[in-house]
Amino acid sequence: MQAREIAVNVPTVTAADPAVHAVRVMAVNRLPGLIVVDDERRPRTVLPGSQVLRLAIPGSYQEDPALARVVDEAHADLFWQELGELTVGDCLPRSPARPATVTADANLLEVAAEMARLRSPIIAVVDRRGVLTGAITLERLLTSLAVIGPGPGPGDQTAT
Amino acid sequence: MQAREIAVNVPTVTAADPAVHAVRVMAVNRLPGLIVVDDERRPRTVLPGSQVLRLAIPGSYQEDPALARVVDEAHADLFWQELGELTVGDCLPRSPARPATVTADANLLEVAAEMARLRSPIIAVVDRRGVLTGAITLERLLTSLAVIGPGPGPGDQTAT
């Protein structure tokens, strides 16, 4: 199989979107991360979920996790509301890593190797011009690889 | 809220389990990662999903992703079958990072800051002796923080 055969459409965000919006897009769509595209829909950054969450954490707590410990519980529950008007672009690291992308003709081992190497549970599939054509999540990859079977019966395999 | 209030039980693996089993446990339970525990159920490593996937990738392709490109598609679809009898312990990095853990009384900002800092979409909750008592996934954290609302109506919020 090739990347194009298992890629799916996912909602994306741009650097101009509010950071809170990005977190919501990921949460409501149950995505493991987000693709940040530029105005030509080329992936600028591919963020693993933990780094989308990071967008929502005030900088002082990112740099000194011990500081978070002394925040009272009620305040801690609402930390993400401090974001206000900050955009995704405002919250991204200054020198972001190369976006996790593969071309549409990549084989599934390439997809897996890139996910593992870049520590990203979501990878953007791009055409020759670098424009986004779809995305592959880790869950989608594992399902496509049929890692789940052959094994015990279906009853065991869907147990949660 | 405290970590203990949102923690859930998740299946775990040990270093002695076959690596293929670990990938399956993650896939069938739709977890974003896995907690590897020792014989006393203390978290030894907490692996993000991409690093569980990495367990299944033959070492030569991990080190040189370009090599994956020249593998024919049919073979690439089955790469994980090469694992054979290798265990999780065999495939773990030699010097694993400190496991992503919080204590049961951690507030949600601490949980979030640790997830972001350690780039882990799953975090182990431990008691004072360091024994696993539960886990918090990124999805669970976001739901608990109610990042999804207040906002548009439920119809919009559950759209996928």
Side-chain angles (χ1 to χ4, degrees), chain B residues 133-156:
Chain B
T133 62
I136 300 172
T137 64
L138 173 57
E139 188 174 352
R140 176 82 176 157
L141 176 67
L142 291 176
T143 308
S144 303
L145 288 171
V147 167
I148 294 170
D156 297 311

Side-chain angles (χ1 to χ4, degrees), chain A residues 95-158:
Chain A
S95 38
R98 187 177 78 70
T101 61
V102 292
T103 52
D105 64 349
N107 66 48
L108 300 198
L109 176 54
E110 280 180 85
V111 175
E114 280 296 87
M115 273 189 185
R117 197 169 63 87
L118 299 171
R119 304 179 69 93
S120 181
I122 182 167
I123 205 156
V125 182
V126 295
D127 66 17
R128 286 182 192 174
R129 295 167 303 150
V131 174
L132 186 72
T133 62
I136 300 171
T137 63
L138 173 58
E139 188 173 351
R140 177 83 175 155
L141 176 67
L142 291 177
T143 308
S144 304
L145 288 170
V147 168
I148 295 171
D156 297 311
Q157 293 181 21
T158 55

Side-chain angles (χ1 to χ4, degrees), chain B residues 102-153:
Chain B
V102 293
T103 52
D105 64 349
N107 66 51
L108 300 197
L109 176 54
E110 279 180 85
V111 175
E114 279 297 87
M115 273 187 184
R117 197 169 64 86
L118 299 171
R119 304 178 69 92
S120 181
I122 182 168
I123 205 158
V125 181
V126 295
D127 65 17
R128 288 183 190 171
R129 294 167 303 151
V131 174
L132 185 73
T133 62
I136 300 172
T137 64
L138 173 57
E139 188 174 352
R140 176 82 176 157
L141 176 67
L142 291 176
T143 308
S144 303
L145 288 171
V147 167
I148 294 170

